[in-house]
Amino acid sequence: GGAEDREEMGSSTPAERSSSWCFGKESVVKAIDAVKRGELIVVVDDEGRENEGDLIMAAGKATTETIAFMIKHTSGVICVSLSGERLEELEMPQMVQNNQDAKCTAFSVSVDKKHGITTGISAADRAATFRAMADPKSTADDFCRPGHVFPLRAVKGGVVARDGHTEAGVDFARLAGLEPVGVLCEICTEDFTGMMRVPELKEFSAKHGLVMTSIHDLILYRQETSQ
């Protein structure tokens, strides 16, 4: 998920893997439309990878309600993914110089929006920070460090270059015609002792009326449509 996203070094690139759809092309089309409307979607990765599902949405569309839903159903460590270039403009450097994360998830220094929020941790405050992260007019001075939001540096080329939820967040926002900044967090089991897998995620998506798709399907969609 947001917190651990990376193929082991030296394995095949996402583009070289299976060419058969998981949930179908239509699931990606529906997911893009949902993101465009400001909705949350469920995105699963490879069974051989994390075998997890993340709630993902466009950062620019974040509301108190959508972030509250995320907090209720996920680990709560909500991340925001964006390009390395934008992170540099916003002066949000890597959290550590020597990244020892198993999936090389590229955490940057945590942040909060500087003005118009209180402690930074509430759903309303985090939503405001996410919207500010997606605002092209925001500058480095609009944020204080550290904070309660965790920026992730997405790899150039998106999911075709690295099949992580970090890249999926950016790709879905971009394909929806929005600023390429995504919000993401891993979905937990109802008792919070583990992570939901595909059978549970299907039930969860149906129960809450959420579109479900996969990173694999997003890769195939992007290759087929040259996007």
Side-chain angles (χ1 to χ4, degrees):
E4 58 246 25
D5 269 9
R6 180 60 171 207
E7 272 298 319
E8 297 304 325
M9 301 302 283
S11 62
S12 62
T13 65
E16 289 162 4
R17 295 200 197 98
S18 163
S19 58
S20 56
W21 299 86
C22 296
F23 300 103
K25 182 178 180 179
E26 190 61 24
S27 72
V28 181
V29 173
K30 286 180 176 173
I32 293 166
D33 286 342
V35 170
K36 199 176 291 186
R37 293 191 299 268
E39 296 170 18
L40 291 156
I41 59 172
V42 174
V43 182
V44 301
D45 72 349
D46 202 316
E47 277 184 38
R49 196 167 174 278
E50 291 180 325
N51 189 20
E52 287 179 3
D54 279 30
L55 281 171
I56 288 180
M57 74 174 301
K61 296 276 193 179
T63 64
T64 300
E65 293 71 30
T66 49
I67 301 307
F69 183 92
M70 285 185 101
I71 293 166
K72 186 177 179 183
H73 295 287
T74 67
S75 66
V77 182
I78 307 179
C79 297
V80 54
S81 58
L82 57 170
S83 71
E85 292 82 1
R86 187 62 179 135
L87 281 169
E88 279 159 28
E89 286 172 12
L90 294 173
E91 294 172 25
M92 295 175 188
Q94 287 186 93
M95 188 181 280
V96 292
Q97 286 307 306
N98 178 24
N99 191 341
Q100 297 173 347
D101 180 84
K103 303 268 191 278
C104 294
T105 308
F107 279 98
S108 293
V109 170
S110 60
V111 298
D112 282 334
K113 185 171 181 277
K114 195 177 279 183
H115 304 293
I117 66 169
T118 53
T119 62
I121 192 66
S122 70
D125 285 356
R126 283 194 263 182
T129 300
F130 292 134
R131 290 193 302 272
M133 295 283 289
D135 185 346
K137 296 191 293 292
S138 291
T139 67
D141 289 339
D142 292 318
F143 302 93
C144 49
R145 306 150 184 76
H148 299 86
V149 157
F150 299 89
L152 300 176
R153 180 180 291 247
V155 167
K156 204 169 198 162
V159 292
V160 176
R162 176 177 181 266
D163 56 351
H165 287 104
T166 299
E167 287 69 30
V170 168
D171 280 0
F172 272 115
R174 179 180 63 78
L175 291 166
L178 305 167
E179 287 298 320
V181 184
V183 175
L184 57 149
C185 201
E186 310 95 332
I187 304 168
C188 293
T189 53
E190 287 191 4
D191 63 3
F192 289 98
T193 59
M195 311 313 292
M196 278 196 191
R197 306 304 178 198
V198 170
E200 299 161 296
L201 289 165
K202 282 181 177 172
E203 280 181 32
F204 175 86
S205 302
K207 179 182 175 182
H208 297 287
L210 303 175
V211 175
M212 182 173 174
T213 189
S214 72
I215 291 175
H216 181 72
D217 287 340
L218 177 58
I219 292 166
L220 294 182
Y221 175 87
R222 281 196 50 201
Q223 289 173 334
E224 192 175 289
T225 60
S226 301
Q227 295 186 74

